[in-house]
Protein backbone atom coordinates (compact mmCIF):
# COMPACT_ATOMS: atom_id res chain seq x y z
CA UNK A 1 0.00 0.00 0.00
CA UNK A 2 1.42 3.40 -0.94
CA UNK A 3 2.56 5.50 1.97
CA UNK A 4 1.25 9.05 2.34
CA UNK A 5 3.58 11.92 1.57
CA UNK A 6 4.92 14.20 4.27
CA UNK A 7 4.16 17.53 2.59
CA UNK A 8 0.51 17.73 3.65
CA UNK A 9 -0.54 18.11 0.00
CA UNK A 10 -4.03 17.00 -1.02
CA UNK A 11 -5.11 14.79 -3.89
CA UNK A 12 -8.03 15.33 -6.29
CA UNK A 13 -10.33 13.56 -3.81
CA UNK A 14 -9.44 16.06 -1.06
CA UNK A 15 -7.52 13.54 1.07
CA UNK A 16 -3.78 13.32 1.74
CA UNK A 17 -1.70 12.85 -1.40
CA UNK A 18 -0.32 9.31 -1.60
CA UNK A 19 2.94 8.14 -3.13
CA UNK A 20 2.74 7.58 -6.88
CA UNK A 21 5.83 5.44 -7.44
CA UNK A 22 9.34 4.88 -6.14
CA UNK A 23 10.52 2.36 -8.77
CA UNK A 24 11.17 4.20 -10.95
CA UNK A 25 11.37 7.20 -8.63
CA UNK A 26 8.93 9.79 -9.90
CA UNK A 27 7.76 13.28 -9.11
CA UNK A 28 9.22 16.64 -10.04
CA UNK A 29 11.21 16.49 -6.80
CA UNK A 30 12.00 12.77 -7.29
CA UNK A 31 10.35 11.99 -3.97
CA UNK A 32 7.84 9.46 -5.31
CA UNK A 33 4.93 11.90 -5.01
CA UNK A 34 3.24 14.16 -7.55
CA UNK A 35 3.98 17.25 -5.45
CA UNK A 36 4.41 20.59 -7.16
CA UNK A 37 5.90 23.96 -6.41
CA UNK A 38 7.12 27.15 -8.04
CA UNK A 39 9.95 25.46 -9.95
CA UNK A 40 7.60 22.86 -11.49
CA UNK A 41 6.45 24.88 -14.49
CA UNK A 42 5.11 21.72 -16.17
CA UNK A 43 2.89 20.80 -13.20
CA UNK A 44 3.87 17.12 -12.96
CA UNK A 45 0.83 16.30 -10.85
CA UNK A 46 -1.09 13.43 -12.51
CA UNK A 47 -0.09 9.98 -11.29
CA UNK A 48 -0.60 7.98 -14.46
CA UNK A 49 0.02 4.36 -15.40
CA UNK A 50 1.92 4.23 -18.66
CA UNK A 51 0.60 2.31 -21.66
CA UNK A 52 2.34 1.60 -24.97
CA UNK A 53 -0.29 3.73 -26.74
CA UNK A 54 0.21 6.69 -24.43
CA UNK A 55 4.02 6.47 -24.63
CA UNK A 56 3.76 6.55 -28.44
CA UNK A 57 1.27 9.43 -28.28
CA UNK A 58 3.61 11.41 -26.04
CA UNK A 59 6.57 10.68 -28.33
CA UNK A 60 4.51 11.88 -31.32
CA UNK A 61 3.94 15.16 -29.45
CA UNK A 62 7.67 15.70 -28.92
CA UNK A 63 8.01 14.24 -25.41
CA UNK A 64 9.79 10.87 -25.56
CA UNK A 65 9.16 9.26 -22.18
CA UNK A 66 10.64 5.88 -23.20
CA UNK A 67 14.27 6.88 -23.69
CA UNK A 68 16.42 7.12 -20.53
CA UNK A 69 17.99 10.54 -19.83
CA UNK A 70 20.35 10.03 -16.86
CA UNK A 71 21.30 13.73 -16.76
CA UNK A 72 17.71 14.40 -15.59
CA UNK A 73 17.55 11.30 -13.37
CA UNK A 74 15.04 9.92 -15.88
CA UNK A 75 15.12 6.14 -16.35
CA UNK A 76 12.86 5.90 -19.40
CA UNK A 77 9.39 4.47 -18.93
CA UNK A 78 7.74 1.22 -19.92
CA UNK A 79 4.08 0.19 -20.02
CA UNK A 80 2.88 -0.42 -16.46
CA UNK A 81 5.18 2.17 -14.86
CA UNK A 82 3.48 4.85 -12.79
CA UNK A 83 4.76 8.36 -13.41
CA UNK A 84 3.86 11.93 -12.45
CA UNK A 85 2.73 13.38 -15.75
CA UNK A 86 2.26 17.02 -16.66
CA UNK A 87 -1.41 17.84 -16.21
CA UNK A 88 -1.61 19.54 -19.60
CA UNK A 89 -0.15 16.45 -21.35
CA UNK A 90 -2.69 14.18 -19.65
CA UNK A 91 -5.53 16.49 -20.72
CA UNK A 92 -4.14 16.62 -24.27
CA UNK A 93 -4.08 12.81 -24.32
CA UNK A 94 -7.60 12.70 -22.86
CA UNK A 95 -8.90 15.01 -25.59
CA UNK A 96 -7.22 12.79 -28.23
CA UNK A 97 -8.67 9.56 -26.75
CA UNK A 98 -5.22 8.37 -25.60
CA UNK A 99 -5.24 9.11 -21.85
CA UNK A 100 -3.54 6.63 -19.54
CA UNK A 101 -5.14 5.39 -16.33
CA UNK A 102 -4.90 7.68 -13.30
CA UNK A 103 -4.28 6.88 -9.64
CA UNK A 104 -6.60 9.44 -8.04
CA UNK A 105 -5.21 9.11 -4.51
CA UNK A 106 -1.74 10.00 -5.83
CA UNK A 107 -2.83 12.79 -8.22
CA UNK A 108 -2.28 16.29 -6.82
CA UNK A 109 -5.36 18.48 -6.38
CA UNK A 110 -3.90 21.08 -8.77
CA UNK A 111 -4.63 18.66 -11.65
CA UNK A 112 -8.23 19.89 -11.35
CA UNK A 113 -7.09 23.14 -13.00
CA UNK A 114 -6.68 21.14 -16.23
CA UNK A 115 -9.21 18.31 -16.04
CA UNK A 116 -12.42 17.81 -14.13
CA UNK A 117 -12.72 15.21 -11.40
CA UNK A 118 -15.26 13.42 -13.61
CA UNK A 119 -12.74 13.21 -16.48
CA UNK A 120 -10.06 11.87 -14.16
CA UNK A 121 -12.48 9.40 -12.57
CA UNK A 122 -13.30 7.94 -16.01
CA UNK A 123 -9.68 6.77 -16.12
CA UNK A 124 -9.27 5.88 -12.47
CA UNK A 125 -7.46 2.73 -11.47
CA UNK A 126 -6.68 1.17 -8.13
CA UNK A 127 -3.71 2.78 -6.41
CA UNK A 128 -2.62 -0.45 -4.76
Amino acid sequence: MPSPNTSGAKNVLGTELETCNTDPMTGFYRDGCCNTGGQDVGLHVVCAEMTADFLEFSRSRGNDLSTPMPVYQFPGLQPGDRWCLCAARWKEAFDAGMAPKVHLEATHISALEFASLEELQRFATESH
Side-chain angles (χ1 to χ4, degrees), residues 10-111:
K10 299 292 183 193
N11 62 35
V12 295
L13 302 174
T15 58
E16 191 169 353
L17 185 68
E18 292 184 3
T19 298
C20 179
N21 198 15
T22 58
D23 185 22
M25 187 64 76
T26 191
F28 179 78
Y29 299 106
R30 294 298 188 262
D31 60 0
C33 291
C34 296
N35 286 310
T36 190
Q39 295 177 318
D40 181 15
V41 294
L43 286 175
H44 297 78
V45 296
V46 176
C47 181
E49 187 172 307
M50 298 297 101
T51 64
D53 287 343
F54 174 76
L55 290 169
E56 182 54 39
F57 171 82
S58 189
R59 183 182 359 259
S60 77
R61 296 300 197 266
N63 188 18
D64 180 1
L65 296 173
S66 301
T67 301
M69 296 187 70
V71 69
Y72 296 111
Q73 300 176 349
F74 181 70
L77 303 177
Q78 300 175 22
D81 286 343
R82 286 188 288 175
W83 193 252
C84 294
L85 270 182
C86 293
R89 175 71 68 204
W90 187 89
K91 179 63 166 139
E92 179 185 16
F94 174 84
D95 290 342
M98 301 296 288
K101 293 286 187 182
V102 174
H103 295 269
L104 297 175
E105 296 85 357
T107 295
H108 194 280
I109 195 166
S110 64

